[in-house]
Amino acid sequence: MQESATKAFYGFEPKSRLFLGTAQYPSPAILADAVRASGVEVVTVSLRREAGEGGAGEAFWSLVKHLGVRVLPNTAGCHGVKEAVTTAQMAREVFGTNWIKLEVIGEDDTLQPDVVGLIEAARLLSADGFEVFPYTTEDIVVGGRLLDAGCEVLMPWGAPIGSGRGLNNPYGLRTMRQHFPDIPLVVDAGIGLPSHAAHAMELGYDGILLNTAVAKAGDPALMAKAFAAAIEAGRQAYEAQPIEARDMAAPSTPVMGKAFLS
């Protein structure tokens, strides 16, 4: 089976299926090394990071521009519709892009999305010309409402942000993939190991967005490279049409013609 192209994200077709966050790295130099090692073309940036005191935000923005990657601003930390919409509008002014990763957090311990507020914020931002990447759950009803609100991408979580648990609900993620076969889907949050990312890609997902698993690794650049390789391996496995799991053994060696001892 010939490898298929990455689905377009609002007309943009990246070669890399990895989206990388830019927070929590030990230093800007280590962040730059990780971005280069991974080959990513899109990084997420928080408006709060850009607005840091003492010129840190300006220096960070200069670094990102020097890396030559596309920026996906996010509304991280927003807990309400008005806050998220206002943050998105400010991000558009700062970063000069209509792209926005929309987060509306509904619960502090799990950082689970407030899907009601998320849908409303997505509707308002889409009407205002934004191209919205919504951080959502794997609920297909919510996914449908987000598409109706104007989103052309869905970003269901794998597990709570920063937890490193992998895919808490593979069934739900598989169902979402089957229900929206033509929509770009990216697993966002909770990925801790390259094997987790490969699993998501084997389900047919179009990309992985992660941050903590790379930023907090002992060697972020090497981990970023490992994730990039795992994502491509998982995608190739999906396209190769893997065998179905079964409960009983199936001999790989033919039994016809085998010797019988009397």
Side-chain angles (χ1 to χ4, degrees):
M1 183 176 183
Q2 186 176 6
E3 183 177 350
S4 62
T6 306
K7 289 188 178 69
F9 299 93
Y10 294 102
F12 177 67
E13 297 183 14
K15 295 179 181 178
S16 172
R17 298 177 188 273
L18 175 60
F19 295 67
L20 199 59
T22 55
Q24 305 183 75
Y25 287 84
S27 72
I30 292 175
L31 165 61
D33 288 344
V35 170
R36 294 189 183 101
S38 67
V40 298
E41 298 164 76
V42 179
V43 299
T44 61
V45 178
S46 170
L47 181 65
R48 287 173 170 80
R49 176 70 176 271
E50 172 63 19
E53 297 180 357
E58 183 178 348
F60 174 75
W61 182 217
S62 177
L63 169 65
V64 171
K65 288 190 287 188
H66 182 71
L67 290 170
V69 291
R70 186 157 185 163
V71 171
L72 174 59
N74 66 43
T75 62
C78 293
H79 286 72
V81 173
K82 183 176 180 180
E83 182 185 15
V85 169
T86 301
T87 300
Q89 292 168 340
M90 294 172 63
R92 179 162 62 182
E93 293 297 319
V94 171
F95 298 109
T97 177
N98 286 327
W99 276 19
I100 192 72
K101 180 194 168 187
L102 179 61
E103 296 183 25
V104 182
I105 301 301
E107 205 279 323
D108 288 333
D109 289 335
T110 63
L111 300 180
Q112 180 168 328
D114 172 359
V115 295
V116 176
L118 180 69
I119 294 167
E120 176 63 12
R123 183 186 65 80
L124 293 171
L125 291 172
S126 295
D128 192 27
F130 282 88
E131 296 173 328
V132 180
F133 294 70
Y135 164 63
T136 184
T137 64
E138 68 277 19
D139 189 311
I140 60 174
V141 176
V142 173
R145 296 289 189 272
L146 287 167
L147 297 177
D148 292 342
C151 299
E152 297 181 12
V153 178
L154 297 175
M155 302 181 74
W157 66 345
I161 294 172
S163 67
R165 294 179 56 87
L167 307 185
N168 273 354
N169 186 6
Y171 169 79
L173 292 170
R174 183 183 296 108
T175 300
M176 177 168 273
R177 174 71 287 172
Q178 294 169 347
H179 197 75
F180 302 114
D182 300 321
I183 301 300
L185 300 180
V186 177
V187 170
D188 175 18
I191 300 296
L193 294 170
S195 56
H196 298 158
H199 186 190
M201 299 305 293
E202 288 166 359
L203 296 178
Y205 274 71
D206 300 292
I208 304 293
L209 195 160
L210 55 87
N211 187 168
T212 307
V214 169
K216 292 294 188 179
D219 187 335
L222 184 59
M223 185 62 78
K225 186 176 181 180
F227 268 106
I231 287 169
E232 284 308 306
R235 181 64 189 187
Q236 289 174 14
Y238 170 74
E239 292 173 340
Q241 303 177 27
I243 64 172
E244 295 290 334
R246 53 183 292 162
D247 294 328
M248 301 296 290
S252 57
T253 302
V255 298
M256 295 294 294
K258 70 177 182 179
F260 289 91
L261 300 178
S262 59

